[in-house]
Amino acid sequence: NCHWDNSRGSLIVLEGLDRSGKTSQSNSLVSFLKGKGVPVEAWHFPDRSTTVGGMISSYLANKSQLDDRTIHLLFSANRWEKSSLMETKLKSGVTLVVDRYSYSGVAFSAAKGLDIQWCKAPEEGLIAPDLVLYLDIPPEKAAERGGYGSERYEHLDFQQKVASHYTNLHDHTWKVIDACQPAEDIEKQLRELALECISSRRDGKPLSRLWL
Ligand code: FDM
């Protein structure tokens, strides 16, 4: 596995609505990459383990109330507080598979009616992903899968608004994967895209920043 040496790690983000299969797909992808000898870690935002993450968690559980702009900035701060560690890992060659990132930040807050440019501003300067894997599922289908929990955003009408904001965020790093396919087919596509991304890091491409 020496062919992974000397190149930086890739920042691979999974995005999608609740119940799109994101979390199980990212876990499966990480196990697969580990099996290939790729240095890789599974990350998730919000990272509920920090002080800021605790405030976010309590808000999501409806145990505290915060206005829309305040919670937006906390989600962003939660990425910023992790960004130097993220940079260190990537530069040392570790690939990060991240379940949700700035796109969730913008899509969920914009779905509440906040201005999109205002939502993007605090994300500016965070490390840009090399690859965004968007698990595309119609909100109605996701709702049919059941298992929406009791957290604040887990309602069909809200998820419909989130879905429409996600579509405005697509850029050249996005790959849209049909999340209604059988799980094994999705797995296979994600593996191919991730391996392709990781091996092209040997080109020495430096880290770039959002939203350039
Ligand atoms: N969420 C997640 C946001 O509103 N903004 C963000 O920046 C992030 C990362 O938090 F409903 C929302 C999306 C979801 C909720 O996410 C919790 P998880 O993946 O279920 O922990």
Side-chain angles (χ1 to χ4, degrees):
N1 290 314
C2 54
H3 56 289
W4 305 119
D5 289 356
N6 294 325
S7 44
R8 71 164 171 88
S10 295
L11 180 55
I12 300 177
V13 168
L14 273 85
E15 286 282 3
L17 297 179
D18 286 295
R19 309 303 299 155
S20 59
K22 234 169 357 69
T23 305
S24 48
Q25 287 294 342
S26 58
N27 292 337
S28 155
L29 180 59
V30 169
S31 318
F32 168 78
L33 293 173
K34 280 186 180 154
K36 290 271 167 194
V38 177
V40 61
E41 289 181 12
W43 283 41
H44 177 84
F45 286 110
D47 178 336
R48 302 187 192 212
S49 71
T50 68
T51 305
V52 172
M55 294 171 76
I56 293 171
S57 188
S58 131
Y59 169 84
L60 288 171
N62 290 304
K63 289 185 181 141
S64 64
Q65 308 305 323
L66 292 168
D67 73 57
D68 294 345
R69 287 179 178 80
T70 305
I71 184 64
H72 181 78
L73 294 172
L74 289 179
F75 273 115
S76 185
N78 187 231
R79 281 181 281 281
W80 277 108
E81 65 181 339
K82 289 282 157 182
S83 70
S84 58
L85 180 60
M86 193 177 242
E87 180 167 349
T88 307
K89 298 258 179 194
L90 290 166
K91 286 184 172 163
S92 72
V94 178
T95 284
L96 304 177
V97 173
V98 185
D99 183 355
R100 296 195 188 281
Y101 198 55
S102 301
Y103 311 93
S104 282
V106 176
F108 280 77
S109 291
K112 297 171 173 174
L114 294 183
D115 178 74
I116 293 169
Q117 289 314 315
W118 188 90
C119 291
K120 285 175 126 179
E123 306 298 315
E124 233 174 88
L126 285 171
I127 302 169
D130 295 295
L131 176 64
V132 179
L133 299 165
Y134 182 69
L135 297 186
D136 190 25
I137 186 166
E140 299 73 20
K141 278 256 157 61
E144 275 168 25
R145 288 183 172 180
Y148 268 162
S150 55
E151 285 202 331
R152 200 179 273 268
Y153 299 146
E154 299 178 306
H155 302 285
L156 179 57
D157 53 345
F158 190 72
Q159 297 281 322
Q160 282 165 334
K161 291 186 188 136
V162 173
S164 73
H165 284 287
Y166 262 134
T167 55
N168 296 326
L169 295 170
H170 292 201
D171 61 31
H172 66 284
T173 63
W174 281 57
K175 298 285 177 195
V176 178
I177 290 100
D178 176 3
C180 295
Q181 301 174 90
E184 314 81 70
D185 296 352
I186 299 171
E187 244 166 21
K188 196 162 161 271
Q189 288 158 41
L190 298 187
R191 289 170 183 188
E192 277 168 17
L193 290 164
L195 282 178
E196 192 180 281
C197 173
I198 292 164
S199 48
S200 63
R201 285 300 66 77
R202 278 173 285 166
D203 62 10
K205 180 173 160 271
L207 291 173
S208 60
R209 305 277 156 181
L210 291 175
W211 304 83
L212 306 170

